[in-house]
Amino acid sequence: MVTNSGSPEFDALRQAFVNDPMLRTELEWAYGLAVENYNPSDRGLRFITGGIGEWIITLAAYRANLVTLPDGHNADGHDTASVLSDTKGLWSVKTSYSRIGKFTITNGQGGPGAGLVTPTVFLSPNLPGITYIHPEHHREVRDLVEWRKDSTALAKSVVAAFASQHPECLIPFAMPDNPGAAVKDPSLEAVRIIVDNSNFPRLRAMFTDVAAAASEDKSVVAEIQKAKKLREDGVITKEQFEALVNKLTGLGS
């Protein structure tokens, strides 16, 4: 019986999940929040959701001591981007929030690309967990890659079958399905970060006004809740409560 994946790094990652069950829980939470906020079915967001998938696995790899901050924890000028770069040296990450279809392995410019040539971890709701496939160690999977005019793909059913037959290449994990309801715009969040400082008093006016309105709304809600408590405790009458609510909401003016 094979007890290792052929990758010491993936074996170490798998052991980290065994040693700390909460690591799996946090990973599932993180991917769940990702798909609730950003819809991977939106063609414009697929690179964003793919990048999020890479970063979440990188955070898990860091926890497993597979990648470290450059020059140690106490050095100045930490660069988290270089940690992601180191992780990409270990494996490629293919994430999907759909149970059907295929993983796109490569997209070429004027061709399909190179196919499955790098070790890859796959995540999808139809898989029993994080699945590791090495193109040299697992040639039977590599040979099932489909070649198209401008891309290569691997059926999720192929990866699922491989995972069930190779527990040494599997980290049990539940990838969430895409609810398809997320409408969050990452470009809006990015521009907020750019202009939300004192250098952009004009451009950030909209964000300032929205924040002020939200604060005012919360204040009104809090006051209504206080009035409701006074009514429940019998401190004020029903008529006094209704008059106070009308005043707070502007209906009584």
Side-chain angles (χ1 to χ4, degrees), residues 14-184:
R14 190 176 70 233
Q15 189 60 45
F17 278 82
V18 172
N19 295 343
D20 184 1
M22 279 302 297
L23 184 57
R24 169 180 172 174
T25 301
E26 289 191 16
L27 206 75
E28 291 175 348
W29 286 348
Y31 279 109
L33 285 173
V35 76
E36 287 172 9
N37 282 280
Y38 304 107
N39 187 353
S41 296
D42 185 325
R43 293 176 63 89
L45 297 185
R46 288 179 184 173
F47 284 108
I48 299 292
T49 55
I52 290 173
E54 288 184 342
W55 267 115
I56 293 175
I57 288 294
T58 295
L59 298 178
Y62 182 83
R63 177 66 178 176
N65 295 318
L66 293 177
V67 289
T68 60
L69 289 170
D71 300 321
H73 297 284
N74 296 320
D76 293 330
H78 290 154
D79 181 4
T80 53
S82 66
V83 179
L84 178 63
S85 178
D86 288 345
T87 307
K88 288 183 176 181
L90 300 177
W91 46 59
S92 174
V93 178
K94 299 296 180 182
T95 57
S96 173
Y97 293 91
S98 172
R99 294 178 179 271
I100 60 176
K102 303 174 182 180
F103 288 103
T104 298
I105 304 301
T106 55
N107 279 303
Q109 293 183 345
L116 185 61
V117 295
T118 58
T120 304
V121 293
F122 295 89
L123 299 94
S124 177
N126 74 305
L127 300 178
I130 303 171
T131 305
Y132 174 82
I133 297 177
H134 193 292
E136 293 301 322
H137 300 162
H138 311 116
R139 296 189 179 188
E140 72 279 14
V141 178
R142 185 191 66 184
D143 292 343
L144 293 175
V145 169
E146 301 173 21
W147 292 79
R148 303 168 177 173
K149 182 178 180 180
D150 57 357
S151 65
T152 62
L154 185 61
K156 292 178 181 177
S157 58
V158 170
V159 181
F162 173 87
S164 66
Q165 297 166 7
H166 294 270
E168 74 280 4
C169 295
L170 179 70
I171 298 173
F173 165 79
M175 189 72 171
D177 290 281
N178 177 19
V183 295
K184 204 165 188 178

Side-chain angles (χ1 to χ4, degrees), residues 225-237 244:
Q225 289 175 338
K226 290 179 182 178
K228 182 180 179 183
K229 181 69 166 56
L230 292 174
R231 173 70 185 98
E232 292 172 348
D233 292 343
V235 177
I236 60 176
T237 65
L244 183 55

